[in-house]
Amino acid sequence: MPVVSVTSIILAAVLNERDGALKALRHSHGDLEHRIADRTKELLAANSQLKREAVERKQAEEALRESEEKYRTVVEESFDGVFMHNGTTITFANSRLHEMIGYEPGDLLGSNHWLIGHPDCQNILCSRAQARLRGESVLPRYEVNLLRKDGTAFPGEINAKVVIFAHEPHIQVWVRDLTEQKLLEKRLVEGQKMEAVGTLAGGIAHDFNNLLQIISGHAELLEMQLTQRGMKFDEMTAILRASDRGTELVKQILTFSRKVDAEFASVNLNEEVCTTERLLYRTIPKMIDIELRLEEDLLPIRADSTQIEQLLINLAVNAKDAMPDGGTLTIETRNIVADEEYCAHHEGLMPGRYVLLSVSDTGHGMEQDVLQHIFEPFFTTKGLADGTGLGLAAVFGIVKMHGGHLTCESEVGKGTAFDIYFPVPEDGSPSLRAVEVKPEAEGGTETILLVDDEELIQELAKRILENSGYRVLTAGSGKQALEIYAEHRSEISLVILDLIMPEMGGKRCLDELLKINPDVKALIASGFAIEGEAKAFFDAKAKGKVSKPFNVRELLRSVRRVLDGR
């Protein structure tokens, strides 16, 4: 074989092997490229995931930090005290808790948690805390007496639950001071009690009025007859005097329940005090000094002068009884502007302008358990012969009727002080009510329809009117009155209408009478003050009002005044 051919064969073989190797290398390199590309994609995806997780972790950390900050702010700025404990030791306490019980910030950390409780309540706090940590069901919210660092107790509310703190179970406790809430609840209960007593007293006064009406009315008629015959009996005078005393007692009861009519006018309280002082000098023992401290340029108030005088006299008599061995009665007046800060230190007072009337004594003072009952009617520390228990009740009624505010402070051995705040009208110049000049009692011949469901009072009033020459028709109910008026309309000149009657009261009866005759003359008879919508109605529709129990002369004057259009 030729040499060239062998060389060619060897060269061809080498070339073929090279081509195979190159082909294999290229194939292997392609797989490597794919693997590198795939791995690169995986690494890029993993990197993107790590970046997202890092962002999310950062956002979560910021949200957690923000949430913790908000929670810390809520806890620190809370109006309630907040603390945590591990069953015995306080591990966290906010500023409000330290302030509430009188500790410096941080002093409570490491202390036993039950130290905030009154000794009588510490066992409850401990036993319930341990029960919670054991996983037992415990009432989360309850009231206990808590204890300040200075040893004073106050009512509080506990609201507790188990939480995980620093990988360990703790009890988180919210503490609320209930002092103000309890005071408001007490004030509400006292107000409701006084309203209930006032309603009861008013009902008693209504029935008592009717009894007095029979006694005093017949006694007055009998006295008039005896006088006409030139006769006089001391027994009759005694009956009338006792009847007048009973009438005054009824007025005081009705004053307490705010069911009396008041004649409001512009009043300078200094003038009322000076007028009353002259009367007191004649009635209060000389060993009691009366000291006046009256502010000049005192603002006028809207008040009933008669009731202001009664208020001053009642307080002065109360002070006199508290100083049997002598002392000083001080009456002071001042202009007061009660802003939010002032009202915060004077419980129950609303912001505004007031005239303050202070009446204080240097007497024996009162215990606190007595002080909380002094405005209740018939409550008295005096003997049966020395007092009725209506003086301060009437003061309470007068103040409330004037829209005022009343406080009393007393300490045994140091005396008593009453502060009365009379509101000053917005315009500073309430209108004066004209003084009415009462005409003399006169008779007549007109026909009068007398409407009253009390038979004895009806008979008495009929007798009074008939003795003065009037013709009287009677009705025992509103319905009967309408029937009689419809039949005798042309004859009846006046209707005397009782305000409170069963089935159809005076208001509805008058409304129906006006439908029959828009010009009907009606005189309302009532022992109570007429207020609100009813007062507006009667002021517009009725011609006048006469108070019960009837005074004979006053009844005749009122009848004549309405009949004559005066």
Side-chain angles (χ1 to χ4, degrees):
M1 180 177 294
V3 176
V4 175
S5 299
V6 172
T7 302
S8 299
I9 291 171
I10 292 171
L11 180 59
V14 171
L15 289 174
N16 285 336
E17 187 175 345
R18 184 201 66 181
D19 291 340
L22 288 173
K23 186 176 180 181
L25 182 61
R26 280 196 296 266
H27 179 75
S28 174
H29 184 265
D31 289 342
L32 180 60
E33 286 182 344
H34 284 300
R35 286 198 298 273
I36 291 173
D38 291 342
R39 186 57 178 163
T40 301
K41 289 179 181 179
E42 291 175 1
L43 290 174
L44 289 173
N47 186 53
S48 297
Q49 179 66 23
L50 288 173
K51 287 182 178 179
R52 284 196 299 271
E53 289 178 357
V55 171
E56 290 174 356
R57 189 183 304 111
K58 184 177 181 181
Q59 291 175 342
E61 289 174 352
E62 290 177 354
L64 179 61
R65 194 161 42 247
E66 184 179 347
S67 176
E68 289 176 347
E69 186 64 30
K70 286 181 179 178
Y71 182 77
R72 187 180 298 108
T73 301
V74 168
V75 170
E76 284 298 334
E77 299 300 326
S78 172
F79 288 106
D80 296 331
V82 183
F83 72 98
M84 283 196 293
H85 66 88
N86 57 14
T88 54
T89 305
I90 295 176
T91 57
F92 168 81
N94 71 346
S95 301
R96 174 61 182 137
L97 182 66
H98 287 85
E99 177 188 346
M100 185 186 297
I101 59 179
Y103 285 83
E104 292 297 321
D107 284 357
L108 290 173
L109 295 180
S111 302
N112 292 328
H113 76 89
W114 57 79
L115 69 80
I116 72 166
H118 189 275
D120 295 341
C121 302
Q122 288 179 353
N123 288 337
I124 295 175
L125 293 171
C126 291
S127 62
R128 292 189 176 182
Q130 294 302 322
R132 283 192 183 89
L133 291 174
R134 291 193 299 267
E136 299 175 12
S137 177
V138 182
L139 187 69
R141 179 175 295 181
Y142 56 96
E143 292 184 11
V144 292
N145 285 326
L146 302 177
L147 194 68
R148 298 185 180 94
K149 184 179 181 180
D150 62 8
T152 58
F154 65 99
E157 181 185 68
I158 294 293
N159 190 1
K161 69 175 182 177
V162 176
V163 297
I164 300 301
F165 179 70
H167 308 293
E168 293 182 3
H170 280 66
I171 297 178
Q172 178 179 269
V173 186
W174 292 73
V175 184
R176 176 164 295 179
D177 186 346
L178 298 180
T179 302
E180 185 174 348
Q181 178 180 324
K182 293 297 182 183
L183 287 173
L184 291 173
E185 289 175 357
K186 181 180 178 182
R187 192 191 309 163
L188 177 61
V189 170
E190 287 294 322
Q192 291 173 335
K193 180 180 72 174
M194 296 298 273
E195 288 295 331
V197 172
T199 301
L200 176 62
I204 293 172
H206 177 264
D207 292 338
F208 192 30
N209 246 347
N210 290 338
L211 295 174
L212 281 174
Q213 179 69 83
I214 307 304
I215 296 171
S216 62
H218 285 289
E220 279 191 85
L221 286 174
L222 187 55
E223 183 190 45
M224 291 170 67
Q225 293 175 6
L226 292 173
T227 301
Q228 290 171 358
R229 299 175 184 175
M231 302 170 64
K232 185 177 181 180
F233 292 96
D234 292 337
E235 292 80 1
M236 186 57 59
T237 302
I239 292 173
L240 287 170
R241 192 173 296 157
S243 177
D244 289 341
R245 175 60 178 154
T247 301
E248 288 302 315
L249 289 176
V250 169
K251 285 181 179 179
Q252 290 193 60
I253 296 173
L254 292 175
T255 298
F256 165 76
S257 56
R258 285 165 273 170
K259 294 183 177 180
V260 295
D261 284 322
E263 297 290 329
F264 289 103
S266 182
V267 169
N268 184 306
L269 200 54
N270 285 347
E271 295 177 2
E272 299 299 325
V273 170
C274 292
T275 300
T276 307
E277 180 199 25
R278 291 191 287 271
L279 176 62
L280 293 178
Y281 270 121
R282 298 194 297 268
T283 57
I284 285 184
K286 295 186 182 300
M287 67 269 203
I288 295 177
D289 294 326
I290 301 176
E291 182 177 336
L292 301 186
R293 300 174 184 172
L294 309 181
E295 180 170 320
E296 296 182 5
D297 301 322
L298 199 67
L299 293 170
I301 61 173
R302 187 172 179 269
D304 183 312
S305 295
T306 303
Q307 293 197 18
I308 295 297
E309 180 181 306
Q310 181 185 349
L311 177 149
L312 287 165
I313 290 174
N314 287 1
L315 290 177
V317 169
N318 190 71
K320 178 204 73 172
D321 294 338
M323 299 183 289
D325 300 322
T328 302
L329 168 64
T330 303
I331 303 176
E332 181 180 2
T333 60
R334 278 189 294 146
N335 292 319
I336 291 289
V337 177
D339 55 16
E340 294 288 348
E341 182 179 356
Y342 187 91
C343 293
H345 294 87
H346 295 77
E347 184 183 345
L349 188 66
M350 302 299 292
R353 292 191 305 167
Y354 295 89
V355 169
L356 173 62
L357 170 66
S358 296
V359 180
S360 59
D361 64 64
T362 57
H364 47 62
M366 292 177 279
E367 299 279 359
Q368 291 302 308
D369 59 341
V370 173
L371 189 61
Q372 63 184 352
H373 295 290
I374 58 173
F375 297 118
E376 297 175 9
F378 309 114
F379 176 82
T380 179
T381 57
K382 306 170 188 174
L384 291 176
D386 298 323
T388 62
L390 290 171
L392 293 180
V395 169
F396 176 88
I398 291 170
V399 173
K400 294 304 178 183
M401 193 181 303
H402 285 74
H405 180 69
L406 170 65
T407 64
C408 177
E409 293 184 1
S410 186
E411 187 174 346
V412 175
K414 294 187 177 180
T416 302
F418 292 88
D419 282 347
I420 302 166
Y421 296 82
F422 290 103
V424 175
E426 296 262 335
D427 59 2
S429 57
S431 59
L432 287 167
R433 181 172 292 190
V435 178
E436 179 184 350
V437 179
K438 297 181 178 180
E440 292 299 316
E442 302 174 40
T445 58
E446 292 91 343
T447 298
I448 297 173
L449 173 58
L450 176 64
V451 188
D452 200 303
D453 64 311
E454 293 284 345
E455 185 177 348
L456 292 176
I457 293 178
Q458 186 187 104
E459 292 176 358
L460 172 63
K462 179 181 179 182
R463 184 176 175 187
I464 292 172
L465 294 168
E466 287 182 338
N467 284 353
S468 296
Y470 296 104
R471 176 186 173 220
V472 181
L473 303 176
T474 59
S477 67
K479 183 178 179 181
Q480 186 182 7
L482 295 177
E483 294 172 353
I484 294 174
Y485 190 82
E487 182 179 353
H488 300 277
R489 170 180 171 179
S490 60
E491 308 167 37
I492 297 173
S493 301
L494 173 68
V495 179
I496 301 178
L497 187 59
D498 186 24
L499 183 61
I500 302 175
M501 295 184 293
E503 295 184 12
M504 182 184 289
K507 182 177 183 296
R508 183 181 166 194
C509 184
L510 178 55
D511 206 21
E512 295 297 325
L513 286 171
L514 289 167
K515 292 178 183 178
I516 300 173
N517 178 14
D519 297 322
V520 65
K521 291 182 178 181
L523 186 63
I524 302 301
S526 176
F528 293 117
I530 306 173
E531 299 176 330
E533 293 182 4
K535 184 178 187 306
F537 174 83
F538 287 120
D539 285 347
K541 306 299 183 181
K543 302 300 181 183
K545 177 180 180 290
V546 61
S547 297
K548 296 169 70 175
F550 297 131
N551 173 283
V552 173
R553 292 174 177 81
E554 184 59 35
L555 173 62
L556 294 175
R557 288 191 190 105
S558 298
V559 167
R560 195 68 258 163
R561 184 175 63 248
V562 174
L563 286 172
D564 294 342
R566 297 202 297 264

